[in-house]
Amino acid sequence: MKINRLLFISSLLVPLSLAGCDRDTYDGSVNEGDTTDSGDGDGDDTTEEETGEPEPLDNDEDGLTNEEEAELGTDPDKKDSDGDNYWDPWELAEGTDPLDYDSRIYTGFWPYNPNKDEMLQGTWETTGKQVGKPFPRQSFLDQHGDYVDIYDFANFSVNEAMTPAFFIFDLSAQWCGPCHNVANWIKGVDDANTSWIQELYPTVRDKVHSLRIWWVTFIVQDQAGGAPTLADAQSWFMVHKDNYIPVLVDETQQVQDRFLGSAFPHFFLLDPDLLIEYFPPPGGGTNENPYPAVGLVDTLL
Ligand SMILES: [Ca+2]
Ligand SMILES: [Ca+2]
Ligand SMILES: [Ca+2]
């Protein structure tokens, strides 16, 4: 079974890598697909040309015309007028101020995916641990107190390889010592509790910090084993501060109820579209590879 899954992941990697070249990306080409018609309209008899009406200019190709930007006061030559990583039209859509860096969609600078409504929409009814099942579209409270739509992370590709990032979901509990050790390891601590993890999975830290992979920590239980709150994410972030890692609160414990394995910490993989890529079988860990999903990140992603 494990070999089959490995082959499955390997077979996916090539087409996904190739697809990444054409896929919408976060850093400036998201709307290229939408603006191609106006950009290459010279050779085409477009409706506008037939009726003699010129295409409205959109210098920065952010989706807002120069005229609209003049009215709004945003920069017609910058997709992101205030430099907070969020394009002007995204901020208008989400109700933040495109001219104020401190008013931004996510305090944590998480990505924003303007195409998320077009993705396969997972629900709690349709999701599952089987390969290919979509993770539910849900907003979770993060360590900064923002509700984060998990689908905003989909198909994110600003890493050096320009391939969309896979996900490793980490289900941790506040009371769980090994969970805290893993969080320390990822952020870069080398001590007696973390060095063995680094030896087993030497490339994973760098893959997280170069955005090759999204490491997403779900706090699914508080110190007493009950439902977690914002305070748990905040204290987790204070202790294990790593700005690359969203710390999400499983307030309703639905993530735990649907996805917890046989022990904490528990890890599974999702592809860039948030479809289950690998879910470890019960008792799948070994001394050589106690966290098989982390092992796959190390060897394959
Ligand atoms: Ca514009
Ligand atoms: Ca603009
Ligand atoms: Ca902005």
Side-chain angles (χ1 to χ4, degrees):
M1 280 300 281
K2 197 176 281 184
I3 288 171
N4 286 341
R5 285 200 180 89
L6 293 175
L7 288 173
F8 181 74
I9 291 180
S10 304
S11 69
L12 271 181
L13 282 175
V14 172
L16 278 173
S17 304
L18 295 173
C21 302
D22 294 318
R23 263 170 200 245
D24 293 340
T25 58
Y26 177 65
D27 67 335
S29 57
V30 167
N31 281 353
E32 274 177 9
D34 301 336
T35 55
T36 302
D37 289 343
S38 59
D40 67 3
D42 292 343
D44 300 331
D45 287 328
T46 62
T47 306
E48 287 79 5
E49 284 170 357
E50 282 169 1
T51 58
E53 287 178 24
E55 292 263 342
L57 288 174
D58 176 8
N59 284 5
D60 56 10
E61 297 187 343
D62 65 358
L64 295 170
T65 65
N66 291 358
E67 198 176 338
E68 288 170 326
E69 301 223 42
E71 275 174 35
L72 292 161
T74 51
D75 190 330
D77 297 311
K78 275 188 190 165
K79 294 175 166 71
D80 174 15
S81 292
D82 57 6
D84 63 4
N85 285 358
Y86 301 108
W87 290 17
D88 298 336
W90 305 348
E91 296 215 56
L92 291 175
E94 297 298 329
T96 57
D97 184 348
L99 294 169
D100 180 358
Y101 178 91
D102 292 323
S103 166
R104 56 181 180 261
I105 296 174
Y106 293 131
T107 306
F109 295 103
W110 312 131
Y112 182 76
N113 177 359
N115 303 314
K116 55 185 176 289
D117 289 342
E118 281 112 65
M119 295 169 55
L120 177 62
Q121 305 286 301
T123 67
W124 291 107
E125 285 70 43
T126 59
T127 195
K129 299 171 180 176
Q130 300 86 0
V131 169
K133 288 281 190 182
F135 192 81
R137 175 136 179 220
Q138 177 88 27
S139 290
F140 297 94
L141 199 53
D142 77 358
Q143 67 263 46
H144 306 292
D146 293 330
Y147 274 96
V148 178
D149 185 335
I150 195 72
Y151 278 36
D152 271 329
F153 286 84
N155 288 301
F156 182 84
S157 53
V158 301
N159 51 66
E160 82 283 356
M162 289 307 288
T163 53
F166 281 64
F167 295 83
I168 185 161
F169 279 7
D170 153 28
L171 272 51
S172 281
Q174 192 69 265
W175 52 263
C176 159
C179 302
H180 286 278
N181 290 341
V182 167
N184 274 339
W185 159 62
I186 277 290
K187 82 167 197 180
V189 171
D190 288 306
D191 63 20
N193 291 321
T194 62
S195 54
W196 66 272
I197 312 177
Q198 180 63 13
E199 277 172 32
L200 282 177
Y201 311 117
T203 69
V204 175
R205 272 181 186 165
D206 288 345
K207 285 171 180 170
V208 171
H209 297 138
S210 61
L211 298 175
R212 289 271 298 277
I213 180 101
W214 279 112
W215 185 291
V216 179
T217 294
F218 286 91
I219 307 296
V220 303
Q221 290 185 16
D222 67 11
Q223 192 67 37
T229 65
L230 174 60
D232 291 301
Q234 289 172 327
S235 69
W236 192 274
F237 183 61
M238 276 181 62
V239 176
H240 310 294
K241 186 167 181 178
D242 187 326
N243 288 323
Y244 289 84
I245 299 180
V247 182
L248 304 181
V249 185
D250 186 23
E251 290 177 285
T252 62
Q253 294 186 300
Q254 277 172 295
V255 175
Q256 163 179 280
D257 293 347
R258 298 303 296 269
F259 294 105
L260 188 60
S262 46
F264 285 108
H266 174 68
F267 308 94
F268 57 102
L269 297 182
L270 301 96
D271 78 4
D273 286 308
L274 286 154
L275 308 180
I276 300 290
E277 176 75 29
Y278 169 77
F279 200 93
T286 63
N287 283 343
E288 295 73 31
N289 187 11
Y291 309 135
V294 183
L296 289 175
V297 172
D298 186 54
T299 54
L300 289 178
L301 296 179

